[in-house]
Amino acid sequence: MSSPIPPENNDSQQPVTPGADLWSKAAATPAAPAPAANAAGWERDVLEKLVFASLGEQRAARRWRLYSRLLWTAVVLLVLWVVFFKDTTAKTSTSPHTAVVEIKGEIASGSDASAEFVVAAMRSAFEDSGSRAVVLLINSPGGSPVQAGIINDEMTRLKAKYNKPLYAVVEESCASAAYYIAAAADEIFVDKASIVGSIGVLMDGFGFTGVMEKVGVERRLLTAGENKGFLDPFSPMSERQKEYAHTMLEQIHQQFIGVVKKGRGEKLRETPEMFSGLFWTGQQAVEMGLADKLGSLDYVAREVVKADEVIDYTRRDNMAERLAKKFGAAIGAGSVQAVQGLMPSIR
């Protein structure tokens, strides 16, 4: 018998044991990393990075929106404060300058030309160590004799206390109560076409008694006191009431004349019509002694005060105060107008 041929010595081949399980051998052999599994892990890492980056961008965007909203809120609040609540009174200055206080429009309580505002502005102007003189810049048709009297008295007091000159410069008009104020100035400067004067007092209104009789309307006014309905436009006025009103107006008129004579002194070239309520041009006013010279605000600051810098001390309502006044005026406009119609006015 021939002997069996031995197997070749091949390192790549392992002897096969008869009956051995080929599948178990395959399982025991370490498996190589699967390419599909590696690909899945790489995609997961990239996806996580994208998600975290997106979350970071969202947080940054939210922070930026928050900061921008806070910034805009601060800007809006600043604008509202400047527009509605900031005091419009001028700041003081220690450098030499001409202080200006405007009196414009009707001189009345609650207006920009009220005694409250004008007096407060004049005090600030006189107290400022840098002001070399105070100038009242006037453009007014007149108004309340009470308000004008308060301002006139305070002008006299401040001039004596601070020993500073006080000038009045007239723009378009300086009539009635406005001239009542200007008379206390050291000098009055006007434009040749300004309207000056109207030194008189009036009390105006309407009477509807004749119309009521024609249309058959009966006025029912109940009063305690025979003169409580005095100057009621729907009730007749007696001769005694007319005489009383004239007496009151004449007394206020004499007060006005006394203020003018005291303020202007020997400068006046008095005529019979000077205190009749007539008004004149600025050129005529200079000739009559009601004004001193022709000149504007810049002229007075440059040539008279010798301080070219002009600082405005005028006290004005801010927007919030104006809205409040308009709201209050709208609520009681009818009653306020009715009461004001009974008050004397020099305009």
Side-chain angles (χ1 to χ4, degrees), residues 1-77:
M1 295 180 62
S2 61
S3 57
I5 300 173
E8 296 180 357
N9 186 12
N10 192 346
D11 294 338
S12 63
Q13 295 182 357
Q14 298 293 332
V16 178
T17 305
D21 190 353
L22 298 177
W23 293 105
S24 62
K25 180 180 179 181
T29 303
N38 289 339
W42 176 81
E43 291 176 353
R44 184 171 57 252
D45 292 341
V46 173
L47 183 60
E48 288 178 353
K49 292 180 180 178
L50 290 175
V51 170
F52 286 130
S54 176
L55 292 176
E57 290 179 356
Q58 291 178 4
R59 285 194 294 268
R62 284 197 297 269
R63 286 195 297 267
W64 173 248
R65 285 197 298 268
L66 177 61
Y67 294 152
S68 62
R69 289 173 181 172
L70 290 176
L71 178 62
W72 279 110
T73 301
V75 171
V76 170
L77 291 177

Side-chain angles (χ1 to χ4, degrees), residues 288-307:
M288 298 172 65
L290 293 172
D292 293 284
K293 300 175 185 176
L294 301 180
S296 63
L297 173 61
D298 291 336
Y299 171 83
V300 173
R302 183 180 63 253
E303 303 296 337
V304 181
V305 184
K306 306 297 182 182

